[in-house]
Amino acid sequence: MKKIKSFTKDNYNKEEPIIIYGASVYGEIAYYALKEMGILPDYYCDQAKEKQFYFDIPVIRLENLKKMPKANVIIASADYYNEIAYSLEEVNVEVFHMKELLNSNIPEEKLSNRAKEMYANRQHYMDIVHNRESNNDLVLNRVQFVVSERCSLKCRDCTHLMQYYRSPKDIILEEYREAFDLLLDTVSTIAEIRILGGEPFMNKDMYKVIDWYHDRENIQSISVYTNGTIIPNETILKSLQKKKVKVHISNYGINREKVGALVDVLKRYNIVFFERKYDAWQDAGNLDFRGYSIDYMKQIFSHCFERNCLTFLKGQLHRCPRSAHAMNIGAMEIEKKDFVDLLHWKEDKRKLAEEIKNLLKKEYIEACNYCDGPNNHMQSIQPAIQIKEPLVYRKIGE
């Protein structure tokens, strides 16, 4: 495994170009951190073909990077850190991570709202770097734990498909605790558990996930993602005070006043939280079958920002939330090769570890055929447009 160093002002080859791998949020943070050092990057590297410049700096592709031996490459991504690191294994460049850059004094007023959130939550990136350096056998950067199908908003373009649920319900958490325990007993580390729905505070028992797993050594952090429209009860608020827990609030404008009320409560209880204001969403389209070729599914999957969002729903570990929810509501056939069924697992943990690794290696999933491929670099639409009734879709067997 190639050695990855922390980028500093003095340990890179000043005769070679500096390339930030990741033209998105961490790429923004890296830009300003380097600027504080008096350094300007020469290129960004990103696989999104639509992006030509970022901060007026040219964006190149991996195939171009391979033609730049000895270049200084900084990995500017958390979710795709390992994916990028693997892609650089056979490339003759010097590879760096962002630990020192993230510890530098970046002027936060220059950062976008999303970058401010990632900068404040930079320990997540540090944990991922640590996990790779520790050579742990099976590390999951993120697992989304769905606690409810219900949501307090009815967003037309929700990529998690809440707009299609006809009779949403809270998840009965006790029924799936043993399945999640099995996952934890099989993997080395989960860098972050994300508790979400729907709206997680709709389920008044959601605190149980925190209480069950907060003290597990192989869980590094727990995040709760909320739309800010519900003030949780006292029991939940006490769980949110735990050390590893952070609350992430999505502010879409339409929920501004309720978000403000929730923020006041979280401050009163000394709960760590981040508020993100959304200007746009990515459009995944409707649930119609597309009929894509396998090559095209691989293409949209490689650009999809949801492709590494491992989702635990009703005892199954899926590669992406759209796939999990599409099967859950019967909008697509049950594709057993696209998830690991922890609830009904009968074999040993070694075999389970192999199944999880195979899931992580997939180049596409069948749910890609029911999706336009949400991409951080394109397809921006107005966030949280509300509808009155669930959207109609063709249910398998109807």
Side-chain angles (χ1 to χ4, degrees):
M1 186 171 68
K2 180 177 287 190
K3 177 70 174 176
I4 301 178
K5 301 176 289 186
S6 184
F7 186 93
T8 69
K9 191 173 183 178
D10 302 313
N11 73 339
Y12 72 99
N13 188 339
K14 296 175 176 58
E15 302 300 318
E16 301 295 336
I18 295 175
I19 301 169
I20 300 174
Y21 201 132
S24 190
V25 182
Y26 276 100
E28 176 184 345
I29 296 171
Y31 172 84
Y32 284 112
L34 289 172
K35 198 170 182 182
E36 287 299 300
M37 294 180 177
I39 299 170
L40 189 67
D42 296 279
Y43 301 98
Y44 278 94
C45 182
D46 201 288
Q47 291 304 93
K49 298 186 183 301
E50 300 81 10
K51 205 158 202 174
Q52 304 299 320
F53 293 91
Y54 194 57
F55 287 99
D56 294 324
I57 295 169
V59 178
I60 62 173
R61 317 296 165 214
L62 180 60
E63 55 266 28
N64 302 118
L65 180 59
K66 292 176 179 178
K67 301 173 185 177
M68 298 182 180
K70 301 181 182 179
N72 306 283
V73 181
I74 303 169
I75 300 179
S77 175
D79 288 344
Y80 306 111
Y81 183 91
N82 289 323
E83 186 177 311
I84 293 171
Y86 289 136
S87 72
L88 295 173
E89 283 287 345
E90 305 301 324
V91 183
N92 187 27
V93 294
E94 290 293 321
V95 185
F96 300 86
H97 57 68
M98 288 177 59
K99 270 191 174 182
E100 293 295 325
L101 295 179
L102 289 171
N103 282 324
S104 62
N105 188 22
I106 300 174
E108 292 190 45
E109 67 276 5
K110 294 183 179 180
L111 297 176
S112 66
N113 287 330
R114 180 63 171 157
K116 287 177 183 176
E117 180 182 359
M118 292 297 100
Y119 183 52
N121 196 32
R122 54 192 175 274
Q123 185 59 45
H124 179 55
Y125 180 100
M126 313 279 197
D127 288 339
I128 291 170
V129 172
H130 171 76
N131 293 336
R132 181 175 173 83
E133 290 175 342
S134 300
N135 292 320
N136 288 331
D137 183 47
L138 183 53
V139 175
L140 307 181
N141 289 347
R142 179 206 307 175
V143 175
Q144 301 186 149
F145 193 122
V146 180
V147 298
S148 183
E149 301 165 347
R150 299 193 298 145
C151 192
S152 51
L153 296 177
K154 296 185 184 300
C155 301
R156 184 193 68 186
D157 303 297
C158 175
T159 57
H160 292 207
L161 307 182
M162 295 300 109
Q163 69 275 39
Y164 291 98
Y165 274 87
R166 300 170 185 174
S167 301
K169 297 178 177 63
D170 289 334
I171 306 298
I172 302 174
L173 301 173
E174 288 82 0
E175 293 184 0
Y176 307 105
R177 180 179 180 180
E178 187 175 339
F180 200 76
D181 287 345
L182 176 59
L183 176 64
L184 284 174
D185 291 341
T186 304
V187 303
S188 302
T189 303
I190 297 179
E192 180 189 28
I193 292 178
R194 290 188 176 183
I195 301 174
L196 38 67
E199 167 51 48
F201 293 149
M202 296 285 281
N203 188 338
K204 298 188 186 306
D205 288 337
M206 59 79 57
Y207 70 91
K208 293 178 180 179
V209 178
I210 299 173
D211 290 354
W212 290 340
Y213 300 121
H214 181 271
D215 294 333
R216 289 289 295 255
E217 291 185 0
N218 60 341
I219 294 175
Q220 293 174 321
S221 67
I222 299 175
S223 300
V224 180
Y225 277 73
T226 174
N227 61 31
T229 59
I230 295 176
I231 305 295
N233 61 40
E234 185 78 12
T235 304
I236 293 174
L237 288 168
K238 288 181 178 178
S239 283
L240 296 176
Q241 292 175 320
K242 293 178 185 289
K243 183 179 179 180
K244 290 182 182 178
V245 180
K246 300 178 181 67
V247 177
H248 295 255
I249 308 170
S250 300
N251 187 338
Y252 305 126
I254 61 170
N255 56 338
R256 187 182 303 110
E257 291 184 7
K258 290 184 177 180
V259 166
L262 176 60
V263 165
D264 289 342
V265 171
L266 297 180
K267 286 180 178 178
R268 193 160 67 245
Y269 278 78
N270 294 314
I271 293 167
V272 178
F273 72 91
F274 304 102
E275 178 187 347
R276 180 183 176 187
K277 296 179 181 178
Y278 280 80
D279 300 317
W281 276 358
Q282 283 68 45
D283 187 9
N286 61 31
L287 268 177
D288 293 344
F289 179 76
R290 303 319 197 251
Y292 295 145
S293 67
I294 289 176
D295 284 344
Y296 190 72
M297 285 195 285
K298 288 180 179 179
Q299 178 182 327
I300 64 172
F301 189 71
S302 69
H303 294 160
C304 179
F305 72 86
E306 296 274 33
R307 72 182 182 273
N308 283 338
C309 294
L310 287 172
T311 299
F312 179 81
L313 175 60
K314 295 183 178 179
Q316 298 173 349
L317 185 68
H318 291 259
R319 184 65 190 268
C320 97
R322 191 174 177 92
S323 178
H325 288 288
M327 292 187 208
N328 192 41
I329 63 175
M332 61 176 285
E333 299 282 359
I334 303 298
E335 296 289 348
K336 292 187 177 181
K337 64 181 182 299
D338 287 345
F339 65 88
V340 177
D341 189 353
L342 296 161
L343 186 63
H344 300 102
W345 189 260
K346 301 298 183 184
E347 301 186 58
D348 60 30
K349 291 174 185 174
R350 182 191 59 78
K351 176 65 174 175
L352 177 57
E354 289 302 314
E355 287 297 305
I356 294 171
K357 289 177 182 177
N358 289 336
L359 183 66
L360 295 174
K361 292 175 182 176
K362 293 185 75 68
E363 296 182 279
Y364 72 95
I365 54 178
E366 290 302 318
C368 296
N369 236 328
Y370 297 79
C371 183
D372 290 345
N375 185 328
N376 272 330
H377 301 294
M378 61 185 297
Q379 296 179 296
S380 291
I381 56 174
Q382 181 182 335
I385 296 172
Q386 296 299 290
I387 55 176
K388 293 182 178 180
E389 299 293 336
L391 296 183
V392 176
Y393 66 97
R394 177 185 168 273
K395 191 169 184 177
I396 301 298
E398 287 186 351

